[in-house]
Amino acid sequence: MHEDPAVALTSYPGTVRQLIVTGLGRDQPTVIITNDDQITTRALVQQYARRMTIEQRLAEIIRAFCADALSSTVNLNVDLDVMLAVLAHALTAALRSRLPGYATVTPDTIQRRFLETPGQIITSADAVTVRLERRAFSPVLRSADLPPATPVPWWQGRPIRYEFLLKVAPIPLRGNRR
């Protein structure tokens, strides 16, 4: 890290504090410019790191949920699209925290490996069952910290359950076996 406490900028009446920091997970050094000369260097870097995390989450939302291709320029639709994208991101984050080994992956990885799994939703008078077909990542889902049955208030308290099918392909016979 390098710090210069009094840098003069063109068209700025005072001086600013400039920090050049490495080791924040980027290829190039990060330049932080502030006019706050009271904050400690450590607190300033921590504040920047929090902001960077927020920016990364917003970039994930845009990439994974196509938030840069909203349905309309009408404010109501844009607000709904953004709210649904943020909600989807929160739900994906909640799922990934329950999947062993997937706590830090991006939402598009969760979507590709788990949410795009083919299956069926079976509703009955007493439960809603999500029956998923077997895929390469099924062992991760089986070992996930998913509750066995979760009551859903807007489904009149019916629980949602998960089932993982073992799909067995028939073995083709060659020639005439006797």
Side-chain angles (χ1 to χ4, degrees):
M1 184 186 84
H2 172 75
E3 182 175 359
D4 193 345
V7 175
L9 296 178
T10 319
S11 303
Y12 187 74
T15 59
V16 295
R17 183 174 167 195
Q18 175 179 294
L19 287 92
I20 300 173
V21 184
T22 58
L24 294 179
R26 297 187 178 207
D27 295 335
Q28 300 296 320
T30 301
V31 178
I32 301 173
I33 298 174
T34 182
N35 60 0
D36 185 351
D37 57 357
Q38 301 301 313
I39 190 170
T40 66
T41 302
R42 180 181 180 88
L44 185 62
V45 171
Q46 286 175 337
Q47 183 179 38
Y48 176 80
R50 281 192 304 274
R51 289 179 180 170
M52 191 172 71
T53 301
I54 292 168
E55 289 174 9
Q56 286 176 322
R57 296 300 167 250
L58 290 172
E60 286 177 1
I61 290 171
I62 290 168
R63 187 175 55 252
F65 303 108
C66 302
D68 58 345
L70 303 174
S71 67
S72 172
T73 57
V74 177
N75 284 343
L76 177 64
N77 288 344
V78 171
D79 290 347
L80 178 63
D81 286 352
V82 170
M83 188 271 312
L84 290 174
V86 170
L87 179 61
H89 184 265
L91 291 171
T92 303
L95 175 61
R96 77 178 172 198
S97 71
R98 293 172 176 261
L99 297 171
Y102 284 83
T104 59
V105 299
T106 58
D108 51 331
T109 300
I110 296 294
Q111 184 172 343
R112 193 174 52 254
R113 292 189 180 170
F114 302 104
L115 300 180
E116 291 179 359
T117 301
Q120 299 173 338
I121 298 175
I122 303 161
T123 58
S124 65
D126 61 332
V128 175
T129 304
V130 177
R131 186 175 292 160
L132 300 172
E133 292 180 14
R134 182 172 185 238
R135 290 187 67 185
F137 299 102
S138 293
V140 174
L141 279 173
R142 281 192 189 89
S143 64
D145 183 24
L146 298 175
T150 303
V152 181
W154 56 88
W155 288 339
Q156 293 76 40
R158 288 185 292 177
I160 185 167
R161 295 187 178 109
Y162 302 96
E163 289 181 4
F164 305 102
L165 295 178
L166 294 175
K167 197 174 191 180
V168 179
I171 300 172
L173 299 177
R174 293 185 185 186
N176 291 333
R177 292 191 179 198
R178 295 179 189 196

